[in-house]
């Protein structure tokens, strides 16, 4: 078994994967059999679809759904753009005749009725999307493409509406002047008055339509802002995140500019509905202004008192609206979960009614960078001096208590210097006062980041989630923390499910329908252990990141598998075959399982006591493997010296006489020249006082107690004169292994590895080990990362109620 590149991603049967790069619908359709699209191309040749490729789906055909003047003009422009695209292809193609025939056919068929062409292409794209719906991730990408096209189309429509209103307003002004002249010449002029009233009615309708369309576009922008915030939170667990806010800033600026133009035209028109429409336009502007203030660089989510941290806020509309030289200041305060909820329910006046804590260096100026066109407030050296704990549930620990940093500012905008109070909450923060609280605090943050929803009440999160969602979270966290592209496999998930649910009798498929609770994740002690699931998993994260990154990335470690799985792999393997798995009985340990001979010539699977970060800080995993003669072949059939190699001494130790730390295990088998080493202890301090786990038990022991398999470590120096005979050893010479015997594999617990310490001058440090690998849509100017699954639901139903926090601000 080899480590995989992410267990949560699905595959598109024989097609490309969608997880690592952006893919168009056409790139999927072109690899599918043409017969799957029979009936789609009766009115639009498939050859033309092939020529236009990605371009066709990158246009907003779907949203041209009426016969008003804008849609008619837009469809005609799309037809012209299509013809121009084909003409360019004809110029580049040596056989341009068929393309020119297609151009002539399109012009003859649709130039008079371009909306008919729009309907045909709509049907084709819908049919293609339906054909690929069976493949995972495709709907997500298509929806993402649809959202970008929707906003671009709506923005162009709004710009057109402004031009319509301006033209009609000018026409009315000319008509008023003409009417005054006509009335002077002929007082009886009813026809002109009727025409003027009709034009005024049309103007009112245009204002109402434009305002409604602006409100709809505002919802799309606020939804995109929510998605950005949600992606930022998921990035706290390691997911990919495009933090570039420039495209979102352009959206905000475009809508504020259109709202301003509509407001000017409304004031100039003097129509009867001006006060109502003006209020609606003001509400749109206010919502955009308040929601454009956000935390672009989050503070640490596990925050230790008396420790410096940084954060920054950004006002997306600052470069457009803050034109005066007046300086504005942003203030940071820590707030409780209760206060955050009061803020979300529109009670900002009581948000700081109670002092929750004290932050040093809690103010920063709001400044615009001319180069980046970003208006930000950077907090460089904040420090949480103290925290006041609030009342908690009886079962809740301090590491489950969530707070947040509230950033606030007051700015004066517009010619009337209207004051806007800007507020933005950070992601949830867990405050700790001691390092031993960090592990549990990280669990609280991981759970909140992974399973929060966009429209929640701060900071509520589900108590139970699907095991599938948990697998995706663990996989993403592992890859991000270890900084590797090799993720977890289904075999790993199966072992993790057995561990967290305490169930070794259920099949892998049955776990997919289960839900895992917060209590199972980090409150309940695992059966027969002294730690929770998360504490154990986090220990492996630290060990792998610190000492095993290259081995894991090069697929040399089997990792998250059970003893029974290992036994099944090795039971029929030849002696000397071994593999590496994470210990399930010790936090942050990796064990070597291998096949060895018994005295009667048969073979048996044995486990070497787990190596922890202490041992691997002294002796690298490669050195440990290479030092043990019984280990010959990495499972399934790879020589260990091909997979592992020693690392040269770092330059900083070149002035010292080289020394090597050697790992040995007592062993003896027929035909082997390897003998149990005696007197292999040198000047290393081995601490035998660490308790060992329970021995492996079997009803019919197959190995005598004398065949112990505990490792011992010896130090060999490069020059014999460094160890004169008169040197007094601080430790007795003799049996190099003070550890207890190692029983056979068929038990249920690992045995603890003794702690080892040595003079750092004699350590050969390991560097980066380049180990070989174990065999076994849309084109728009804006680029924003795809939403998560729950955000997709929001995008699929854009008319649903907006986020409560956004409603209160806007």
């Amino acid at each position: 078994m080899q480590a995989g590149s992410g267990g949560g991603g699905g595959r598109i049967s024989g097609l490309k994967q969608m997880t690592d790069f952006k893919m168009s619908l056409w790139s999927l359709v072109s690899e599918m059999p043409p017969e799957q699209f029979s009936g789609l191309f009766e009115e639009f040749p498939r050859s033309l679809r092939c020529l236009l490729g990605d371009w066709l789906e990158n246009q907003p055909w779907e949203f041209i759904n009426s016969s008003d003047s804008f849609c008619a003009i837009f469809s005609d422009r799309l037809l012209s753009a299509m013809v121009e695209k084909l003409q360019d292809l004809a110029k580049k193609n040596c056989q341009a005749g068929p393309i020119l025939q297609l151009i002539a056919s399109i012009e003859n068929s649709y130039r008079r009725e371009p909306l008919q062409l729009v309907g045909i292409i709509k049907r084709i794209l819908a049919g293609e999307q339906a054909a690929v719906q069976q493949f995972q991730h495709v709907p997500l990408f298509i929806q993402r493409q649809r959202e970008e096209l929707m906003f671009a189309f709506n923005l162009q429509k709004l710009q057109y509406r402004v031009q319509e209103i301006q033209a009609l307003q000018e026409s009315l002004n000319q008509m008023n002047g003409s009417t005054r002249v006509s009335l002077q010449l002929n007082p009886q002029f009813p026809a002109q008055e009727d025409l003027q009233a009709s034009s005024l009615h049309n103007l009112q309708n245009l204002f109402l339509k434009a305002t409604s369309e602006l409100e709809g576009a505002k919802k799309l922008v606020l939804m995109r802002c929510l998605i950005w915030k949600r992606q930022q939170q998921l990035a706290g667990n390691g997911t990919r995140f495009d933090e570039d806010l420039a495209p979102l800033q352009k959206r905000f600026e475009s809508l504020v500019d259109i709202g301003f133009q509509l407001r000017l035209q409304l004031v100039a028109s003097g129509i009867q509905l001006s006060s109502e429409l003006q209020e609606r336009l003001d509400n749109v502007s206010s919502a955009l202004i308040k929601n454009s203030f956000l935390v672009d660089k989050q503070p640490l989510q596990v925050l230790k008192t008396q420790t410096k941290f940084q954060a920054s806020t950004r006002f997306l509309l600052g470069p457009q609206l803050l034109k005066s030289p007046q300086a504005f200041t942003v203030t940071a305060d820590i707030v409780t979960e209760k206060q955050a909820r009061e803020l979300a329910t529109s009670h900002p006046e009581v948000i700081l009614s109670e002092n929750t804590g004290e932050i040093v260096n809690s103010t920063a100026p709001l400044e615009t960078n001319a180069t980046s066109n970003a208006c930000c407030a950077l907090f460089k050296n904040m420090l949480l001096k103290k925290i006041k704990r609030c009342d908690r549930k009886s079962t809740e620990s301090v590491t489950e208590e969530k707070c947040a940093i509230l950033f606030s500012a007051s700015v004066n905008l517009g010619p009337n210097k209207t004051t806007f109070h800007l507020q933005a909450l950070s992601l949830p923060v867990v405050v700790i006062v001691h390092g031993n609280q960090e592990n549990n605090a990280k669990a609280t943050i991981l759970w909140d980041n992974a399973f929060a929803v966009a429209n929640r009440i701060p900071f509520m999160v589900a108590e139970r989630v699907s095991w599938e969602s948990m697998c995706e979270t663990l996989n993403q966290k592992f890859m991000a923390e270890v900084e590797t592209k090799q993720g977890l496999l289904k075999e790993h998930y199966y072992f993790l499910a057995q561990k967290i649910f305490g169930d070794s009798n259920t099949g892998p498929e049955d776990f997919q329908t289960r839900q895992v609770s917060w209590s199972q994740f980090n409150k309940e002690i695992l059966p027969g252990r002294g730690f929770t699931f998360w504490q154990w998993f986090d220990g492996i994260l630290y060990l792998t990141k610190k000492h095993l990154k290259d081995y894991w990335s090069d697929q040399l470690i089997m990792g998250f598998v059970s003893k029974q799985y290992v036994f099944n792999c090795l039971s029929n393997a030849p002696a000397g075959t071994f593999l590496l798995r994470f210990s399930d009985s010790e936090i942050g340990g990796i064990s070597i399982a291998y096949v060895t001979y018994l005295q009667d010539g048969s073979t048996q699977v044995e486990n070497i006591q787990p190596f922890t970060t202490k041992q691997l800080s002294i002796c690298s995993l490669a050195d440990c493997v290479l030092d043990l003669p019984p280990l010959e072949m990495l499972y399934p059939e790879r020589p260990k010296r091909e997979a592992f190699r020693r690392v040269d001494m770092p330059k900083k130790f070149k002035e010292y006489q080289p020394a090597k730390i050697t790992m040995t295990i007592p062993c003896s088998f027929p035909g082997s020249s390897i003998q149990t080493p005696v007197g292999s202890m040198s000047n290393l301090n081995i601490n035998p006082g660490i308790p060992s786990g329970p021995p492996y038990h079997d009803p019919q022991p197959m190995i005598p107690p004398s065949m112990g398999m505990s490792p011992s470590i010896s130090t060999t120096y490069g020059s014999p004169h460094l160890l004169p005979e008169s040197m007094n050893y601080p430790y007795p010479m003799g049996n190099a292994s003070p550890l207890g015997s190692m029983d056979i594999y068929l038990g249920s617990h690992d045995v603890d590895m003794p702690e080892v310490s040595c003079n750092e001058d004699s350590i050969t440090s390991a560097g980066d080990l380049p180990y070989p690998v174990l065999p076994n849509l849309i084109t728009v100017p804006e680029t924003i990362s795809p939403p998560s699954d729950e955000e997709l639901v929001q995008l699929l139903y854009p008319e649903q109620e907006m986020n409560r926090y956004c409603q209160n601000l806007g």
Side-chain angles (χ1 to χ4, degrees):
M1 184 188 68
Q2 299 176 355
S5 57
R11 292 187 178 274
I12 304 176
S13 130
L15 304 179
K16 302 180 181 70
Q17 278 190 296
M18 304 255 326
T19 52
D20 294 330
F21 56 92
K22 194 171 184 180
M23 183 183 295
S24 68
L25 175 65
W26 175 244
S27 63
L28 299 177
V29 171
S30 61
E31 296 187 13
M32 298 177 67
E35 54 267 21
Q36 294 195 20
F37 306 99
S38 59
L40 284 180
F41 299 101
E42 296 176 352
E43 301 174 279
F44 192 85
R46 181 174 172 83
S47 58
L48 185 56
R49 173 68 175 103
C50 295
L51 284 172
L52 294 173
D54 297 348
W55 180 89
L56 199 68
E57 65 200 68
N58 291 340
Q59 314 307 320
W61 311 96
E62 178 185 355
F63 309 107
I64 306 174
N65 50 20
S66 66
S67 56
D68 67 1
S69 58
F70 173 74
C71 289
I73 293 173
F74 199 90
S75 58
D76 186 71
R77 288 179 180 176
L78 281 177
L79 175 58
S80 299
M82 181 185 295
V83 170
E84 184 178 347
K85 173 80 173 176
L86 293 172
Q87 288 173 343
D88 290 340
L89 291 174
K91 293 177 183 178
K92 299 175 183 177
N93 197 313
C94 57
Q95 297 180 350
I99 300 178
L100 294 176
Q101 291 178 4
L102 288 172
I103 293 174
S105 176
I106 291 173
E107 288 278 14
N108 293 333
S109 301
Y110 304 116
R111 178 55 72 183
R112 293 184 179 180
E113 292 292 337
L115 284 172
Q116 183 181 355
L117 175 65
V118 172
I120 293 171
I121 295 178
K122 275 186 183 183
R123 289 193 294 272
I124 292 174
L125 293 179
E128 290 178 345
Q129 291 177 15
V132 297
Q133 283 290 330
Q134 56 183 311
F135 302 118
Q136 193 175 357
H137 291 305
V138 175
L140 178 61
F141 172 79
I142 291 173
Q143 186 59 37
R144 163 64 190 180
Q145 179 182 13
R146 178 181 182 275
E147 188 269 343
E148 292 189 352
L149 280 174
M150 184 192 300
F151 182 83
F153 180 80
N154 289 343
L155 183 61
Q156 292 185 56
K157 186 191 293 185
L158 281 168
Q159 293 168 343
Y160 179 81
R161 292 283 182 250
V162 171
Q163 295 174 7
E164 272 191 308
I165 290 173
Q166 290 175 343
L168 188 54
Q169 184 72 50
E170 292 174 1
S171 176
L172 273 172
N173 291 339
Q174 294 176 0
M175 196 178 300
N176 287 335
S178 175
T179 300
R180 284 193 296 270
V181 173
S182 300
L183 288 174
Q184 290 175 359
L185 298 176
N186 184 4
Q188 306 296 328
F189 199 69
Q192 187 73 11
E193 291 181 354
D194 292 343
L195 180 62
Q196 189 174 4
S198 176
S199 298
L200 185 59
H201 179 72
N202 291 337
L203 182 62
Q204 291 175 344
N205 288 337
L206 273 178
F207 269 116
L208 289 171
K209 183 181 293 186
T211 303
S212 297
E213 291 169 349
L214 180 61
E215 290 169 337
K218 178 207 71 173
K219 287 184 178 181
L220 290 177
V221 170
L222 296 188
M223 183 59 66
R224 172 50 58 188
C225 188
L226 285 177
I227 290 173
W228 186 91
K229 291 178 180 179
R230 178 69 186 129
Q231 289 175 327
Q232 184 189 50
Q233 185 173 22
L234 290 171
N237 287 354
T239 59
R240 295 183 180 182
F241 173 52
D242 182 7
E243 57 184 340
D244 183 19
L245 281 165
L248 190 59
Q249 178 170 316
K250 290 179 182 178
R251 292 192 180 192
F252 273 91
E253 291 174 342
S254 299
L255 294 190
V256 166
D257 183 60
I258 288 174
F260 178 72
Q261 293 181 48
L262 286 175
R263 198 170 184 276
L264 288 180
Q265 292 293 329
L266 187 63
V267 172
S269 68
I271 63 177
Q272 295 179 356
L273 298 176
S274 60
S275 59
E276 176 188 342
L277 288 176
Q278 184 170 324
E279 182 179 357
R280 290 172 63 183
L281 291 173
D282 288 345
N283 289 338
V284 170
S285 298
S286 177
L288 291 172
I289 290 171
K290 292 181 178 180
N291 283 278
S292 70
F293 183 67
L294 42 81
V295 184
D296 65 326
K297 303 291 183 184
Q298 292 286 338
L300 296 173
Q301 288 189 265
V302 176
L303 194 57
K304 189 173 181 294
T305 55
Q306 304 300 324
T307 301
K308 290 184 178 181
F309 63 98
Q310 297 184 351
S312 69
T313 60
R314 181 164 172 175
F315 184 29
L316 298 180
L317 290 173
Q320 184 182 31
L321 301 180
L322 298 181
K323 301 297 184 181
S324 65
Q326 181 180 355
F328 299 101
T329 300
V330 180
T331 303
D333 298 282
I334 190 162
V335 295
T336 64
E337 183 172 329
K338 178 183 176 183
Q339 291 171 323
R341 291 181 184 181
E342 291 174 349
L343 173 66
T345 52
S346 298
H347 296 298
E349 68 279 358
V350 298
I351 191 65
L352 296 179
S353 59
E354 183 179 357
N355 187 14
T356 305
E358 180 182 350
I359 297 180
V360 179
N361 299 323
S362 59
T363 60
L366 188 61
E367 300 173 324
T368 299
N369 186 308
T371 303
S372 62
N373 195 38
C375 182
C376 300
L378 176 61
F379 296 81
K380 297 182 179 179
N381 294 299
M382 284 194 291
L383 181 143
L384 182 58
K385 190 173 182 181
K386 60 182 180 180
I387 182 70
K388 180 180 179 182
R389 301 290 185 184
C390 60
D391 294 335
R392 298 183 301 277
K393 301 175 184 177
S394 59
T395 59
E396 190 177 62
S397 68
V398 294
T399 56
E400 296 176 81
E401 179 184 342
K402 287 176 279 192
C403 304
I405 308 295
L406 173 65
F407 298 93
S408 55
S410 294
V411 296
N412 301 322
L413 304 177
N416 296 328
K417 300 298 180 182
T418 304
T419 300
F420 287 87
H421 299 287
L422 308 179
Q423 294 177 323
L425 274 176
S426 74
L427 293 175
V429 169
V430 174
V431 178
I432 62 175
V433 296
H434 195 278
N436 60 13
Q437 297 173 318
E438 183 176 6
N439 177 275
N440 292 328
K442 285 163 59 178
T444 300
I445 293 301
L446 180 76
W447 186 279
D448 191 272
N449 285 346
F451 308 121
V453 294
N455 60 345
R456 68 171 176 174
I457 299 173
F459 298 107
M460 294 185 66
V461 66
E463 281 290 325
R464 305 182 71 87
V465 298
S466 70
W467 173 242
E468 184 178 6
S469 299
M470 175 58 71
C471 288
E472 294 174 359
T473 298
L474 294 176
N475 180 61
Q476 191 61 58
K477 182 65 175 178
F478 186 90
M479 290 197 297
E481 196 76 13
V482 179
E483 297 179 345
T484 179
K485 295 181 180 179
Q486 300 299 327
L488 307 183
L489 290 176
K490 60 181 181 180
E491 291 86 353
H492 299 143
Y493 295 140
Y494 182 42
F495 170 68
L496 293 173
Q498 290 176 311
K499 194 168 188 68
I500 199 169
F501 292 114
D503 184 354
S504 58
N505 299 319
T506 301
E509 296 78 12
D510 296 330
F511 283 124
Q512 298 304 313
T513 59
R514 288 199 184 182
Q515 287 193 324
V516 60
S517 68
W518 161 250
S519 182
Q520 290 170 314
F521 181 68
N522 194 48
K523 288 183 77 71
E524 298 175 4
I525 301 298
L526 294 174
R529 307 291 184 236
F531 43 79
T532 66
F533 174 86
W534 165 254
Q535 290 168 347
W536 168 80
F537 188 85
D538 188 50
I540 292 176
L541 282 181
Y542 179 81
L543 177 75
T544 309
K545 177 181 180 180
K546 191 80 173 176
H547 301 290
L548 307 176
K549 173 184 175 181
D550 294 324
Y551 307 100
W552 175 270
S553 297
D554 292 339
Q555 305 176 51
L556 304 179
I557 298 174
M558 187 168 284
F560 297 100
V561 289
S562 66
K563 283 188 173 69
Q564 185 60 48
Y565 187 94
V566 172
F567 179 77
N568 294 339
C569 291
L570 297 181
S571 57
N572 296 320
T577 306
F578 70 97
L579 55 79
L580 299 99
R581 59 176 287 272
F582 296 127
S583 170
D584 64 351
S585 63
E586 181 167 349
I587 294 180
I590 185 169
S591 180
I592 302 176
Y594 70 102
V595 183
T596 184
Y597 281 111
L598 295 179
Q599 289 181 337
D600 61 2
S602 61
T603 59
Q604 177 62 50
V605 177
E606 304 227 16
N607 258 8
I608 297 177
Q609 295 169 334
F611 301 98
T612 64
T613 188
K614 282 191 175 182
Q615 287 82 51
L616 296 180
S617 296
I618 297 170
C619 188
S620 72
L621 183 62
D623 286 335
C624 292
V625 169
L626 295 173
D627 283 343
L628 298 176
L631 310 183
E632 298 176 357
M633 191 74 63
L634 179 64
Y635 180 84
E637 296 178 342
R638 187 172 183 187
K640 71 175 182 181
R641 295 193 180 277
E642 176 188 323
F644 299 87
R645 69 178 182 85
R646 299 188 190 275
V647 180
D648 295 333
M649 180 180 289
K651 292 182 179 180
K652 63 180 181 179
F653 292 133
K654 289 299 184 181
E655 64 270 20
Y656 292 96
Q657 186 69 21
K660 184 180 74 173
I661 299 174
T662 303
M663 174 73 65
T664 63
I665 55 174
C667 60
S668 177
F669 49 86
S672 172
S673 59
I674 303 172
Q675 301 296 325
T676 302
V678 179
S680 61
M681 282 301 296
S682 180
N683 60 341
L684 288 177
N685 175 19
I686 297 185
N687 178 13
I690 296 180
S692 296
Y696 301 116
H697 295 289
D698 188 85
Q700 297 177 344
M702 301 177 63
I703 181 170
S706 59
M707 290 291 291
M709 305 309 296
S710 301
S712 61
I713 302 178
S714 64
T715 304
T716 304
Y717 290 84
S719 297
H721 69 271
L722 291 178
L723 290 173
E725 295 182 1
S726 60
M727 187 174 190
N728 293 324
Y729 294 101
Y731 307 105
M733 299 294 289
N735 188 348
S737 180
L739 305 177
S741 62
M742 182 75 168
D743 291 339
I744 59 176
Y745 174 82
L746 296 177
S748 60
H749 302 286
D750 289 326
V751 181
D752 292 339
M753 179 73 181
E755 295 184 3
V756 182
S757 62
C758 82
N759 188 325
E760 73 176 45
D761 290 346
S762 65
I763 299 175
T764 302
S765 300
D768 294 331
L769 307 178
Y771 301 110
V773 177
L774 179 66
N776 225 338
L777 318 194
I778 174 175
T779 304
V780 293
E782 304 174 15
T783 302
I784 307 175
S785 300
S788 67
D789 290 343
E790 54 224 22
E791 295 153 357
L792 174 61
V793 175
Q794 297 285 348
L795 284 177
L796 285 171
Y797 305 100
E799 298 303 323
Q800 285 185 345
E801 181 182 1
M802 290 300 294
N803 178 278
R804 177 179 309 187
Y805 182 56
C806 289
Q807 283 185 327
N808 293 328
L809 293 181

